[in-house]
């Protein structure tokens, strides 16, 4: 990239964006003595500008309302993961485990039936309840974009999330949004008393200090480089 006009070239690989977007975690008995969990939230927020960086410096980026309409209508294969890696917690292709919809707020995800017997599920749920995991993110490809005449703002008009992910993550990049983690009262009333006591103790130990780490200014390029390397290794393995 030599000039700001080069920003207009679509990279053609998956990009990642992280937001301090609202999500909730709910527990519910599964009828067999175990517990199922529901995790809901927004993997991206529409029409809220946030800062991005490349080799030429800082610019504003906005995901516009309706940007996910086409890809969601095509029944994309998407997984729910932790920090964009590891064993999936849910998947759109596994019926009823991950539902993605679009509204005026953004890209909404609903994982309504997470299996509490899985260790990764319990770990994520506990971290959400303790306000240790407080953000969400999504991994996507940009299909259509619009840059301002001075190349200082990028509007994402259409993205493709097929074979991407929605992710519970540690840090967010959009300070304009808020985060909450909650249990519905009716779910709490159905929990065994020992689980209620354990939850009460965890709530009493919630972290009060906000995270101070910031995304590295070149984090976008590190993500793109990692994707390019993964694509190269996959291609090389097929030769």
């Amino acid at each position: 990239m030599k000039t700001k006009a080069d920003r207009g070239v679509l990279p053609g690989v998956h990009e990642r964006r992280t937001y301090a977007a609202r999500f909730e975690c709910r527990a519910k008995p599964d009828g067999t003595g175990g517990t199922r969990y529901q995790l809901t939230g927004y993997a991206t927020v529409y029409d809220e500008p946030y800062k991005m960086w490349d080799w030429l410096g800082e610019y504003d980026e906005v995901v516009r309302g309706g940007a996910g309409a086409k890809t969601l209508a095509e029944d994309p294969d998407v997984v729910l993961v932790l920090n964009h890696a590891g064993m999936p917690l849910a998947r759109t292709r596994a019926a009823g485990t991950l539902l993605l919809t679009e509204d005026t707020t953004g890209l909404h995800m609903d994982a309504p039936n997470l299996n509490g017997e899985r260790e990764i599920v319990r770990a994520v749920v506990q971290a959400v309840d303790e306000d240790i995991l407080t953000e969400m993110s999504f991994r996507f490809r940009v299909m259509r974009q619009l840059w301002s005449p001075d190349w200082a703002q990028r509007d994402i008009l259409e993205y493709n999330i097929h074979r991407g992910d929605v992710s519970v993550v540690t840090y967010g990049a959009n300070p304009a949004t808020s985060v909450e983690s909650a249990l519905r009262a009716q779910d709490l009333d159905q929990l065994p008393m020992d689980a209620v006591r354990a939850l009460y103790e965890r709530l009493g130990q919630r972290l009060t200090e906000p995270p101070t780490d910031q995304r590295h200014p070149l984090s976008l390029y590190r993500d793109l480089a990692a994707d390019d390397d993964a694509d190269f290794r996959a291609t090389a393995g097929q030769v």
Side-chain angles (χ1 to χ4, degrees):
M1 182 179 292
K2 297 179 180 179
T3 68
K4 288 186 177 181
D6 292 333
R7 286 174 168 170
V9 179
L10 288 173
V13 296
H14 280 98
E15 303 181 36
R16 300 184 183 98
R17 297 294 183 271
T18 305
Y19 307 86
R22 183 184 303 273
F23 66 95
E24 296 181 352
C25 180
R26 301 169 180 174
K28 47 190 177 183
D30 64 2
T32 64
T35 302
R36 293 277 171 167
Y37 296 95
Q38 180 178 20
L39 188 66
T40 62
Y42 286 92
T44 183
V45 176
Y46 291 165
D47 300 316
E48 289 283 353
Y50 50 88
K51 297 296 182 182
M52 290 298 298
W53 294 265
D54 61 19
W55 295 112
L56 298 174
E58 182 182 87
Y59 63 91
D60 292 322
E61 187 172 87
V62 186
V63 181
R64 290 304 182 186
K70 185 175 185 295
T71 187
L72 294 179
E74 295 171 346
D75 191 24
D77 187 6
V78 184
V79 293
L80 170 65
V81 290
L82 173 63
N83 284 321
H84 295 291
M87 176 67 69
L89 284 74
R91 186 173 180 175
T92 54
R93 291 291 172 87
T97 67
L98 180 61
L99 307 174
L100 299 178
T101 56
E102 186 180 59
D103 59 26
T104 56
T105 299
L107 175 62
H108 185 264
M109 77 91 194
D110 182 10
N113 199 33
L114 298 175
N115 187 352
E117 294 185 2
R118 297 179 61 196
E119 183 177 355
I120 181 63
V121 169
R122 295 196 306 273
V124 169
V125 167
Q126 290 175 358
V128 168
D129 286 341
E130 295 170 0
D131 278 353
I132 294 174
L133 291 174
T134 56
E135 327 292 350
M136 289 210 69
S137 177
F138 76 139
R139 186 171 181 264
F140 62 99
R141 287 184 291 118
V142 176
M143 307 306 292
R144 290 191 298 117
Q145 62 182 358
L146 177 66
W147 283 90
S148 62
D150 60 357
W151 303 99
Q153 178 170 311
R154 181 196 197 193
D155 287 16
I156 296 177
L157 305 179
E158 180 188 339
Y159 61 81
N160 188 321
I161 200 171
H162 180 59
R163 299 185 70 85
D165 67 62
V166 290
S167 183
V168 180
V169 296
T170 307
Y171 294 120
N174 188 346
T177 55
S178 60
V179 181
E180 286 185 358
S181 174
L183 284 169
R184 295 182 302 181
Q186 58 266 40
D187 292 331
L188 186 61
D189 290 341
Q190 297 178 48
L191 289 176
M193 187 55 64
D194 58 346
V196 173
R197 292 194 183 97
L199 176 59
Y200 179 80
E201 292 176 359
R202 291 203 303 273
L203 291 175
Q205 300 173 356
R206 283 193 170 190
L207 300 177
T208 58
E209 293 297 327
T212 57
D213 289 8
Q214 300 294 325
R215 287 172 60 87
H216 191 279
L218 298 181
S219 57
L220 170 60
Y221 277 84
R222 288 180 172 176
D223 289 346
L224 295 181
D227 285 334
D228 287 342
D229 181 64
D231 292 341
F232 172 79
R233 291 176 182 274
T235 302
Q238 296 170 0
V239 175

